[in-house]
Amino acid sequence: MAFQKAVKGTALIGGGAIATVFGLSQFSQYRNKHSALVQVEAEEGAPVRRDHLPTREQQILALQSSGEFDVLVIGGGATGCGCALDAATRGLKTALLERDDFSSGTSSRSTKLIHGGVRYLQKAIMNLDFEQYRMVKEALEERAHLLHSAPHLSAPLPIMLPIYKWWQLPYYWVGIKLYDLVAGSQCLKSSYVLTKARALELFPMLRRDKLVGAIVYYDGQHNDARMNLAIALTAARYGAATANYTEVRHLLKSPDTGSGRQRVCGVRCRDVITGKEFDVRAKCVINATGPFTDSVRKMDDQEVPNICQPSAGVHIVMPGYYSPDNMGLLDPATSDGRVIFFLPWEKMTIAGTTDSPTDVTSHPIPTEEDINFILSEVRNYLGADVEVRRGDVLAAWSGIRPLVTNPDSKDTQSLSRNHVVTVSDSGLITIAGGKWTTYRAMARDTIDTAIREHNLKAGSCQTMGLQLEGAQDWSPTLYIRLVQDYGLESEVAQHLASTYGGKAFEVAKIAQVTGKRWPIVGKRLVSEFPYIEAEVVYGVKEYARTAVDIISRRTRLAFLNVQAAHEALPRIVDIMGKELNWCEQKKKEELESAKTFLYYEMGYKVKTDQLTDSSEISLVPSDIERYKKRFHMFDKDKKGFITIVDVQRVLQSISVQIDENTLHEILNEVDLNKNGQVELNEFLQLMSAIQKGRVSGSRLAVLMKSAEEKLRRRQPIPVDRSGGGL
């Protein structure tokens, strides 16, 4: 009864606020926009989408030999690729340069949400901030567009807001209903209230005590790196000369014939792959470099003040059993005021913070402090019967967000995600701020500015409703055809369809025969993930040039399980070596570079530190003796360490076969000294770390326990226990 009264009372509490927002919603038609999400036909004179995707070498040649471009974009993140796509579809001669890989920075390290920003709407209402409100409304419109333009890469996701205090129910209900109202006809699905019993049914991992109920609302979710690449590939198909691994060294300037002022007229760049330098000329240069915005602006003018304040967001990945398959969780007020999302993604669970100040770097590193903060907040929302273990963190990453500086802001949490487009005295156009969801609107505003400031001949924006790479021939049942036509595993087929859309057939065509009865084709890179070897070959066609490109962006292996990515690396390097004609030295360099990336940027270091930092063995004497006996079962010679030979001997005695390379990997996980052997002290540290929850899923620990149990069962029964015989 009390629950029902509280829900009914929300109508009275929120009526005035809803009326206010409705009025704002009508007033917010501050610019002309398309209301219907239908695929846009190119205007007369606009370029035609080509079937053939140029190779990277052809794109580099186009940059060198195509004369002057209308638009040159620096930066291959979501915004930069969006600018290139917008310009190319308007018929402008377009170039895009990225010094690393497409989406190598912030755009691949997001929370994977396509959202309007619930907390920004709250601030807009509480502070009567119309700019924040306008940003939320625009983001909700762009959310609908993004879900339509790449349905294979994105989908609506219900997100639960658990309520533990009665007064919060009407407060949050009003806020979420306002969120629906601002979205208007583009609301994905209406939010609703759940009773405690129903909330626990849908999210059984939730903490039960003091739970009042829950509110569920909808936002979108996507594969961010793949979405970014789809934008870049679509731009290339519309004629843009797009090149990754092409670094801008400095800006080119020439005197304006009318005013005599120095104007930006292009860039000097370097092909990172070959080392060759060349000039690219353009009427307009656009700076879309995210956190590095101010670095490019200072190439233009050393005295220009910074306009971006970098903010780090750390995320961790945990096993899928921590969350339901299709229900996220939002903690709107953590212990320090930040927001935590707890979301299912790619059959795993993502947990992530929002903003904290940081320095700009090309290689952001997640810290143990950030990881433990997230784990601590997650524990507050999950039931006591769910042990949240540090060892269950499978990967971790940090992304740097380019927030626009507000001089009155005291911290990054109060910074807006509004984007700004600025034009320098020399004509350099900079797009800064914004968020993933609004990349298309940001690109539209940027190209509109470019056309106006540089007198370019082009029509209006063509990207509203424009479908991205793979969307044209995709359907929810496409994966069935992949299974039937090519003999792929159902899980692999679903992955290919949801990653490549209609282009999945091109991947299936080059998949290798397995030699098995089933699946017929599609050799996996690692057994527990649906990524296949053919994707490495196809990734090279899609401009992948390093092993890191494959493990982190063409597949998402590094983001899902850093250890699995580490194991897949040798095979990935071998395949890429054949496709790109790498010598043995180059293959070795690629392998080491990718391992370094995993170690520092994807959390492998903080994962291995759980052993090295736990030098104190906190085991009771009885446990120490038990683990010593298990260790000496393998160390028959009492050497004080075990090697692959010792493990192989025991496994053979219980009729278990594991190939030598796998055994190397298993021992290497625990071999802290990296001397090819696991010492007794290292083994005890491992068992201590497992008991503390710092380490989980250790193959060596499970293997030794299993072998001990099997050997114990095979020991002969003593005569006195058999009844004394006959």
Side-chain angles (χ1 to χ4, degrees), residues 60 63-64 246 267-271 276-280:
I60 292 291
L63 289 170
Q64 296 174 345
T246 309
V267 301
R268 179 72 173 181
C269 59
R270 181 176 73 92
D271 184 345
K276 182 179 179 180
E277 292 194 8
F278 55 93
D279 292 341
V280 181

Side-chain angles (χ1 to χ4, degrees), residues 365-557:
I365 298 173
T367 66
E368 186 64 25
E369 180 183 2
D370 287 322
I371 292 172
N372 283 326
F373 168 78
I374 298 172
L375 290 174
S376 176
E377 297 300 328
V378 168
R379 290 187 185 101
N380 291 337
Y381 272 84
L382 298 188
D385 55 337
V386 180
E387 183 184 359
V388 181
R389 304 180 299 181
R390 173 62 183 81
D392 283 337
V393 177
L394 304 174
W397 69 86
S398 175
I400 301 178
R401 296 160 177 156
L403 304 182
V404 180
T405 303
N406 181 341
D408 300 323
S409 297
K410 296 179 180 179
D411 54 58
T412 59
Q413 294 174 49
S414 61
L415 291 176
S416 169
R417 292 290 184 85
N418 282 336
H419 65 270
V420 295
V421 181
T422 65
V423 184
S424 73
D425 292 339
S426 63
L428 175 68
I429 295 178
T430 295
I431 170 67
K435 55 193 283 188
W436 224 122
T437 308
T438 59
Y439 88 90
R440 192 204 67 85
M442 294 166 65
R444 177 202 63 213
D445 293 349
T446 305
I447 301 304
D448 283 347
T449 302
I451 292 171
R452 183 176 64 253
E453 293 292 327
H454 293 271
N455 299 315
L456 303 177
K457 303 296 183 182
S460 60
C461 178
Q462 298 291 299
T463 55
M464 175 58 82
L466 183 73
Q467 291 194 309
L468 300 178
E469 179 87 350
Q472 296 90 337
D473 302 318
W474 177 84
S475 72
T477 57
L478 181 146
Y479 78 95
I480 297 175
R481 289 173 54 200
L482 291 171
V483 174
Q484 294 175 338
D485 294 354
Y486 293 94
L488 288 160
E489 291 177 86
S490 181
E491 184 186 12
V492 170
Q494 289 177 11
H495 153 66
L496 294 181
S498 65
T499 302
Y500 303 94
K503 301 296 180 182
F505 293 99
E506 296 183 13
V507 183
K509 287 175 185 176
I510 59 176
Q512 288 185 315
V513 175
T514 64
K516 302 177 182 178
R517 185 185 63 80
W518 192 264
I520 299 173
V521 301
K523 292 184 178 179
R524 295 195 183 207
L525 289 169
V526 284
S527 60
E528 66 266 44
F529 290 95
Y531 303 115
I532 59 174
E533 293 182 357
E535 291 182 79
V536 182
V537 178
Y538 195 74
V540 172
K541 297 179 187 296
E542 293 185 328
Y543 308 137
R545 286 299 178 269
T546 70
V548 171
D549 296 344
I550 297 294
I551 61 174
S552 60
R553 292 175 287 274
R554 301 310 184 278
T555 72
R556 305 315 306 274
L557 200 51

Side-chain angles (χ1 to χ4, degrees), residues 23 40 72 76 90 105 107 190 277 282 312 349 419 468 484-485 518 537 611 613 615 622 629 634 655 704:
V40 173
L72 168 61
R90 297 196 201 200
S107 295
S190 182
E277 292 194 8
T349 301
H419 65 270
L468 300 178
Q484 294 175 338
D485 294 354
W518 192 264
V537 178
L611 278 175
D613 291 348
S615 56
S622 59
K629 287 180 181 179
F634 285 76
S655 303
M704 293 178 73

Side-chain angles (χ1 to χ4, degrees), residues 252-256 261-265 425-427 453-454:
L252 302 177
K253 293 185 178 182
S254 62
D256 182 71
R261 290 187 305 174
Q262 290 292 312
R263 303 281 289 178
V264 173
C265 63
D425 292 339
S426 63
E453 293 292 327
H454 293 271

Side-chain angles (χ1 to χ4, degrees), residues 537-595:
V537 178
Y538 195 74
V540 172
K541 297 179 187 296
E542 293 185 328
Y543 308 137
R545 286 299 178 269
T546 70
V548 171
D549 296 344
I550 297 294
I551 61 174
S552 60
R553 292 175 287 274
R554 301 310 184 278
T555 72
R556 305 315 306 274
L557 200 51
F559 283 79
L560 295 171
N561 190 315
V562 67
Q563 197 162 306
H566 186 272
E567 292 171 15
L569 271 177
R571 182 59 185 147
I572 289 172
V573 169
D574 282 343
I575 296 172
M576 293 191 76
K578 291 178 182 177
E579 293 296 314
L580 296 169
N581 298 316
W582 287 346
C583 64
E584 288 302 316
Q585 179 61 30
K586 173 63 175 175
K587 288 166 66 174
K588 183 178 179 181
E589 291 172 359
E590 278 295 320
L591 189 62
E592 290 306 312
S593 176
K595 286 180 177 179

